[in-house]
Amino acid sequence: MDINLSAEDLAFQDEVSQFLEEHAYKPGEDYNAWRMNWFKAAAEKGGWDVPKWPKEFGGPGWTPNQHYIWERETASAVLPWDLPFGVGMLAPVLMRYGSREQQDRFLPDIRARKVNWCQGYSEPGAGSDLASLKTKAELSQDGTTYTVNGTKIWTTMAHIADWIFCLTRTDDSGKKQEGITFLLFPMKDPGIEVTPIITLGGAHTVNTVYLSDVKVPVENRIGEEGKGWTYAKGLLQHERTGLAGISRSLVALAQLKENARSIKRGNASLMDEPAFKTKVARLEVDLQALEFTELRSLASAAAGAAPGPESSILKLKGTEIQQRIQKLTLEAGGLHSAAWGAKPVGPGFAKGGMQGYLSSRAYTIYGGASEVQRDVIAKNVLGLKRSK
Ligand SMILES: Cc1cc2nc3c(=O)[nH]c(=O)nc-3n(C[C@H](O)[C@H](O)[C@H](O)COP(=O)(O)OP(=O)(O)OC[C@H]3O[C@@H](n4cnc5c(N)ncnc54)[C@H](O)[C@@H]3O)c2cc1C
């Protein structure tokens, strides 16, 4: 694709940057009111609140260059808090496989950020091998209602979510990929218990969700019974593309260099130390290579293609790069990064360094672990076959 920006692209870049400046959060402002106004204003620009949605569903219908510009401009801005599960993950599934009724019922609230969704895929015995999931959904005799029983784990933000999209087993007689059914239900339904899991970095983002006799009307099933695996896989590819975080890494890398320059080493700085400089240079080269891969993926998306198995390359390399940036930031902060608590010790950027580093361990696990991405790349991108 052509990444030379045309006069129209440059005008668009100015428009985006002006929008971000005009709608930036002002200290003291009511955060929630600002957040909702930001999305409203972005919607009024013609789908800027849902940049990746197709035009027929209210998206902006941008060219690849415009997507590229949006990503780069927004990476260094403070954007309103947003979860990926509704707009980025469930919405594409609804658009492709949901009925017109389901689209009309769920998409407007997803778009308006009125309803928070969470993702009920993983189970205690089904993570990488997701298809072995056991949460059972039994259809009533009259064919109106499913009764769901089982346990979901690592469910991000389940404690604040209003609804869950959930993979359930409706048949275990055939291949494990068959007999999986994709259901949607409210988190306040009777029979749902959410308990927190506190991760290494000390944060509460993930949960265990216990489902006991949860009743789900058949209208809340996406597509056909037993075909959920197909829908779930499509969603994972959208999830993986979104996890690469390339624009954010470009900003974080620039910040890392600035931080390293502020650490004095005699007459020079940490950034001048060959060992450190080499690691930063390697990171920079890898990030640039990934940026080009992302541009290719944007070009095919703009030509109408859904993300394919190449999204595993973006996920794998993107998350490894994010971890390397966190690790070098930790190194640059040295001992000060280990300070745990509200009071900063040493250079300002070192605050929370250790928590950030520990939390970043999860990047190469969620959305499918790195080993699994390598498997997908080997089979579906490189076309390799397992030797007998
Ligand atoms: C912070 C965080 C947030 C998450 N949020 C969600 C969420 O919102 N919703 C949700 O459904 N899930 C979520 N997950 C779950 C996540 O998708 C799983 O943790 C992930 O798929 C790995 O599964 P597992 O933890 O069961 O590990 P396992 O599958 O047991 O894997 C353990 C190790 O074995 C390796 N391994 C497994 N199979 C293979 C293989 N075939 N070849 C080579 N190596 C292999 C893995 O790479 C890994 O290193 C989250 C996880 C984390 C850490």
Side-chain angles (χ1 to χ4, degrees), residues 73-93:
E73 290 294 315
T74 50
S76 52
V78 179
L79 295 185
W81 168 82
D82 203 16
L83 288 175
F85 306 108
V87 170
M89 288 158 64
L90 178 62
V93 172

Side-chain angles (χ1 to χ4, degrees), residues 110-132:
I110 289 178
R111 181 170 184 179
R113 274 73 173 180
K114 279 191 188 154
V115 172
N116 288 320
W117 286 84
C118 63
Q119 178 184 24
Y121 274 26
S122 307
E123 295 182 7
S128 302
D129 184 15
L130 184 60
S132 59

Side-chain angles (χ1 to χ4, degrees), residues 85 119-123 126-129 153-156 206 362 365-372 375:
F85 306 108
Q119 178 184 24
Y121 274 26
S122 307
E123 295 182 7
S128 302
D129 184 15
I153 196 164
W154 310 118
T155 324
T156 302
V206 287
I365 300 173
Y366 58 59
S370 289
E371 289 77 7
V372 172
D375 230 18

Side-chain angles (χ1 to χ4, degrees), residues 2 10 22 27 38 89 158 164 192 213 234 249 256 291 294 327 344 346 348 363 365-366 377:
D2 180 10
L10 292 171
E22 257 171 43
W38 194 100
M89 288 158 64
I164 183 168
I192 304 180
D213 288 334
S249 286
L256 168 68
E291 205 186 344
E294 186 195 36
K327 188 157 181 257
Y363 301 169
I365 300 173
Y366 58 59
I377 294 165

Side-chain angles (χ1 to χ4, degrees), residues 90-101:
L90 178 62
V93 172
L94 284 166
M95 289 170 194
R96 180 137 185 226
Y97 302 107
S99 65
R100 175 46 82 80
E101 257 176 356

